[in-house]
Amino acid sequence: MDTPRVGIPEHLADRMTMAEQHEYLRARFARPLTRRGVLRAGAVTAGAAAGTGLLGGAVRAYADPAPAPAPSPSSPELLAPAAARVDGRHVAPFGRHLAFGADPRTQMRISWQVPLAVRRPYVRVGLAPWDLGLKLEAEVRTLHTPPLSPKLPAVDQVYLHAALDNLRPGQTYYYGVGHDGYDPADPRHFPGLATFRTAPERPGKGGRAGKFTFTAFGDQGVSYQALANDQLILGQDPAFHLHAGDICYADDSGAGKPTDVYDARVWDQFLAQTESVAASVPWMVTTGNHDMEAWYSPNGYGGQSARWTLPRNGFDPARAPGVYSFVYGNAGIVALDANDISYEITANTGYSGGAQTAWLDRRLGELRRTPGLDFVVVFFHHCAFSTTKDHASDGAVREAWLPLFEKHGVDLVINGHNHVYERTDALRGTRVGRKVPIGGTTDPTRDGIVYVTAGGAGKSLYDFPVPDSYEGHVKDLESVDSYFWEKGRVKRPERVEWSRVRYTGFSFLAVESEPAARGGRPRLRVTALAENGARIDHFDVVRPARQG
């Protein structure tokens, strides 16, 4: 959908960066801030709070400093009078979603939404549902979105966040969110309680290695299929979930242009849809092309910073909230923002000035030197390898990041962008190092890296140029004619031999990390499941046994 909405000539829109679009939109739509109300734009409303009694020690919660949206589009002062008019008993929280801090063993971030401003929002935490004795103030982040299209209303959104530190590794906690007039500890609100579990202590740090599962997909949006995938994911009992960008599709075009039609209300629908899983499973997102929302900040990520609290250990959390890493058990996870390097969709290309790629090089090296860590998994949006007719592969990813993946021995790469499931053989560079049939096993230290496109989370599906080939319907081909994007948005044809599994359907990944038994080899068991629960692919990634 490319309905013009801001009166920019199309030939200029094609050349505008996200920063230029942001300045244009602010100049056209921003309205002066008032001085009314008790909230301030982007301000932290929760001071430090400490509590005891959960562990016999202190659990600390604080306002995790996040990059604030630009003051003119984000105007909580316009919302504040509602807090004085509406009885908090009649305002129900929704859209709860968890995320790890930089250390999943001791840090958890709880986020949620209210339909309008409330007084003194907070979270209660405890070791049992009847004992939520720790009460911690929340941080308020608000967004104001003007009617960016004649058919859309102005939208005001209120997001709340609490960051918990000093938690006990491997511990299950109960929590509830509330505000003045709405107490989650009230028995009437018990159905709104949820749990989270911190990561176990890592091997070599006094912990014992154990198996765990995580799930992953990209390109979800709001749909029946998206909801079906969520419920299947919950059934996998994952320790966390990776969302490889294009989260809700409030910006339905995703071209990174001022002509994109943007409806902020879709975020409300998405967070309500996802709550059944994300309220108990840390929902670790990164940034896709549909997640660049120029109104909120110069790089388009101000909305993401208001809605999510993610680990702040990337190269620049203020500019790139979707770039971070964490370690869970024996696996290191790295999230990247491929908008920074894309040759296909260039509105944000180059915004980091190479800082993200330099950080990636350093961080992968650090992870490989981490004691007790077997696997490194990287996820981001734009595909390194895909053969669909719609987006195919981005040559910039191959040029900038593949050499680093190989240098540091990355074990698995997960992408979205193409709304299908596709999986490569083990690749060295762009060539097949070893064929990995369905049910096969590969050693990345010997064979190369497997790349998975898991973009079938819920949005409309794409097409392959050749027939599907998946478990129970194998149609191996010697090669597939496809293309990749070169600099200048040029499509370069290529004939590839690496497209091993293709499935045109809604699906997701479930990955079980299995530490090595004594003298054995650590293993990633990777499974792709369709929205009806049928298995469409599975393979194992193993590494040599540790020495010593």
Side-chain angles (χ1 to χ4, degrees), residues 398-476:
R398 297 182 184 181
E399 292 176 17
W401 291 346
L402 260 62
L404 300 181
F405 297 161
E406 297 198 340
K407 172 184 174 181
H408 297 290
V410 167
D411 299 288
L412 181 66
V413 175
I414 300 170
N415 299 135
H417 202 38
N418 288 290
H419 301 181
V420 293
Y421 176 83
E422 187 169 17
R423 194 258 293 171
T424 72
D425 290 316
L427 301 183
R428 290 195 170 278
T430 60
R431 297 185 177 276
V432 175
R434 179 186 180 90
K435 290 185 177 181
V436 184
I438 295 169
T441 299
T442 180
D443 179 346
T445 65
R446 177 194 66 204
D447 305 328
I449 304 168
V450 173
Y451 296 81
V452 176
T453 299
K459 284 298 284 185
S460 56
L461 298 168
Y462 291 172
D463 294 321
F464 290 108
V466 294
D468 285 8
S469 181
Y470 57 94
E471 186 165 356
H473 300 78
V474 174
K475 296 183 180 179
D476 280 336

Side-chain angles (χ1 to χ4, degrees), residues 180-204:
D180 278 7
Y182 188 101
D183 189 345
D186 187 318
R188 292 174 298 177
H189 301 313
F190 273 10
L193 299 184
T195 64
F196 64 81
R197 186 171 181 83
T198 52
E201 190 59 84
R202 294 203 298 269

Side-chain angles (χ1 to χ4, degrees), residues 22-34:
H22 174 66
E23 289 304 314
Y24 177 89
L25 292 171
R26 286 184 64 189
R28 173 154 184 164
F29 291 104
R31 53 185 175 180
L33 292 179
T34 74

Side-chain angles (χ1 to χ4, degrees), residues 13 39 54 97 113 132 144 193-194 234 274 355 381 394 400 405 501:
L39 304 179
L54 289 184
H97 50 286
Q113 192 173 354
L132 303 179
H144 171 72
L193 299 184
L234 193 60
T274 309
H381 189 62
D394 200 315
F405 297 161
V501 181

Side-chain angles (χ1 to χ4, degrees), residues 132-475:
L132 303 179
L134 183 60
K135 182 178 179 181
L136 306 161
E137 289 181 273
E139 174 192 354
V140 180
R141 304 178 197 163
T142 67
L143 291 175
H144 171 72
T145 309
L148 298 176
S149 170
K151 295 184 179 180
L152 295 175
V155 177
D156 292 309
Q157 294 167 311
V158 184
Y159 299 98
L160 307 167
H161 303 263
L164 277 65
D165 279 353
N166 297 338
L167 298 169
R168 175 181 290 173
Q171 176 69 54
T172 296
Y173 293 90
Y174 292 79
Y175 77 92
V177 299
H179 49 263
D180 278 7
Y182 188 101
D183 189 345
D186 187 318
R188 292 174 298 177
H189 301 313
F190 273 10
L193 299 184
T195 64
F196 64 81
R197 186 171 181 83
T198 52
E201 190 59 84
R202 294 203 298 269
K205 297 286 185 179
R208 200 170 95 186
K211 291 193 290 188
F212 67 91
T213 296
F214 69 89
T215 52
F217 60 40
D219 306 82
Q220 188 177 17
V222 179
S223 69
Y224 292 118
Q225 292 80 15
L227 184 60
N229 264 342
D230 281 354
Q231 301 317 301
L232 281 175
I233 283 171
L234 193 60
Q236 303 299 310
D237 191 24
F240 56 89
H241 177 74
L242 305 180
H243 196 309
D246 281 7
I247 301 169
C248 87
Y249 291 82
D251 180 338
D252 198 47
S253 168
K257 299 179 183 180
T259 50
D260 292 353
V261 174
Y262 176 72
D263 186 349
R265 298 171 299 175
V266 179
W267 279 106
D268 300 344
Q269 295 175 291
F270 174 82
L271 290 172
Q273 166 190 273
T274 309
E275 182 176 18
S276 62
V277 187
S280 58
V281 177
W283 206 258
M284 309 303 294
V285 304
T286 191
T287 314
N289 55 293
H290 282 268
D291 305 319
M292 297 186 291
E293 300 168 343
W295 166 252
Y296 301 112
S297 65
N299 61 7
Y301 301 150
Q304 185 177 28
S305 296
R307 297 179 177 105
W308 305 88
T309 297
L310 299 164
R312 294 179 53 78
N313 58 1
F315 73 95
D316 186 347
R319 287 194 295 160
V323 179
Y324 56 88
S325 67
F326 63 91
V327 173
Y328 190 105
N330 68 334
I333 310 295
V334 179
L336 299 175
D337 175 15
N339 290 322
D340 180 30
I341 62 170
S342 175
Y343 284 157
E344 179 197 4
I345 298 171
T346 59
N348 253 343
T349 300
Y351 80 86
S352 81
Q356 179 178 199
T357 299
W359 172 84
L360 174 64
D361 192 9
R362 292 192 303 272
R363 186 57 183 144
L364 290 178
E366 291 166 356
L367 289 171
R368 273 291 165 227
R369 295 189 294 271
T370 300
L373 190 144
D374 294 315
F375 297 108
V376 175
V377 177
V378 179
F379 75 108
F380 53 93
H381 189 62
H382 302 61
C383 292
F385 298 97
S386 181
T387 62
T388 69
K389 299 175 183 177
D390 293 80
H391 294 301
S393 310
D394 200 315
V397 175
R398 297 182 184 181
E399 292 176 17
W401 291 346
L402 260 62
L404 300 181
F405 297 161
E406 297 198 340
K407 172 184 174 181
H408 297 290
V410 167
D411 299 288
L412 181 66
V413 175
I414 300 170
N415 299 135
H417 202 38
N418 288 290
H419 301 181
V420 293
Y421 176 83
E422 187 169 17
R423 194 258 293 171
T424 72
D425 290 316
L427 301 183
R428 290 195 170 278
T430 60
R431 297 185 177 276
V432 175
R434 179 186 180 90
K435 290 185 177 181
V436 184
I438 295 169
T441 299
T442 180
D443 179 346
T445 65
R446 177 194 66 204
D447 305 328
I449 304 168
V450 173
Y451 296 81
V452 176
T453 299
K459 284 298 284 185
S460 56
L461 298 168
Y462 291 172
D463 294 321
F464 290 108
V466 294
D468 285 8
S469 181
Y470 57 94
E471 186 165 356
H473 300 78
V474 174
K475 296 183 180 179

Side-chain angles (χ1 to χ4, degrees), residues 24-180:
Y24 177 89
L25 292 171
R26 286 184 64 189
R28 173 154 184 164
F29 291 104
R31 53 185 175 180
L33 292 179
T34 74
R35 292 185 175 274
R36 296 180 298 167
V38 295
L39 304 179
R40 298 192 60 82
V44 171
T45 63
T52 60
L54 289 184
L55 308 175
V59 175
R60 184 168 63 92
Y62 64 96
D64 198 12
S72 49
S74 178
S75 179
E77 288 87 344
L78 300 173
L79 302 179
R85 294 195 306 268
V86 177
D87 190 324
R89 292 177 298 175
H90 308 308
V91 181
F94 71 98
R96 293 166 300 169
H97 50 286
L98 301 176
F100 291 130
D103 185 355
R105 298 170 301 176
T106 62
Q107 297 177 323
M108 188 66 70
R109 282 53 177 131
I110 303 172
S111 304
W112 68 102
Q113 192 173 354
V114 286
L116 61 165
V118 294
R119 291 185 181 277
R120 288 181 285 274
Y122 60 85
V123 61
R124 286 190 180 274
V125 185
L127 295 178
W130 54 85
D131 182 19
L132 303 179
L134 183 60
K135 182 178 179 181
L136 306 161
E137 289 181 273
E139 174 192 354
V140 180
R141 304 178 197 163
T142 67
L143 291 175
H144 171 72
T145 309
L148 298 176
S149 170
K151 295 184 179 180
L152 295 175
V155 177
D156 292 309
Q157 294 167 311
V158 184
Y159 299 98
L160 307 167
H161 303 263
L164 277 65
D165 279 353
N166 297 338
L167 298 169
R168 175 181 290 173
Q171 176 69 54
T172 296
Y173 293 90
Y174 292 79
Y175 77 92
V177 299
H179 49 263
D180 278 7

Side-chain angles (χ1 to χ4, degrees), residues 466-546:
V466 294
D468 285 8
S469 181
Y470 57 94
E471 186 165 356
H473 300 78
V474 174
K475 296 183 180 179
D476 280 336
L477 300 175
E478 292 186 4
S479 63
V480 177
D481 287 327
S482 187
Y483 67 91
F484 65 94
W485 293 93
E486 288 188 323
K487 193 171 184 178
R489 300 200 76 245
V490 174
K491 290 183 179 181
R492 172 61 65 89
E494 64 175 347
R495 177 167 290 181
V496 307
E497 299 176 351
W498 39 254
S499 181
R500 182 56 47 199
V501 181
R502 297 173 300 278
Y503 176 72
T504 305
F506 301 103
S507 59
F508 67 95
L509 278 186
V511 182
E512 182 183 71
S513 180
E514 181 180 294
R518 185 178 297 275
R521 306 178 73 182
R523 183 177 301 266
L524 289 180
R525 299 184 184 274
V526 185
T527 302
L529 297 172
E531 65 168 330
N532 62 1
R535 192 173 69 182
I536 55 175
D537 186 24
H538 66 108
F539 64 97
D540 287 1
V541 178
V542 299
R543 291 189 70 88
R546 293 197 206 110

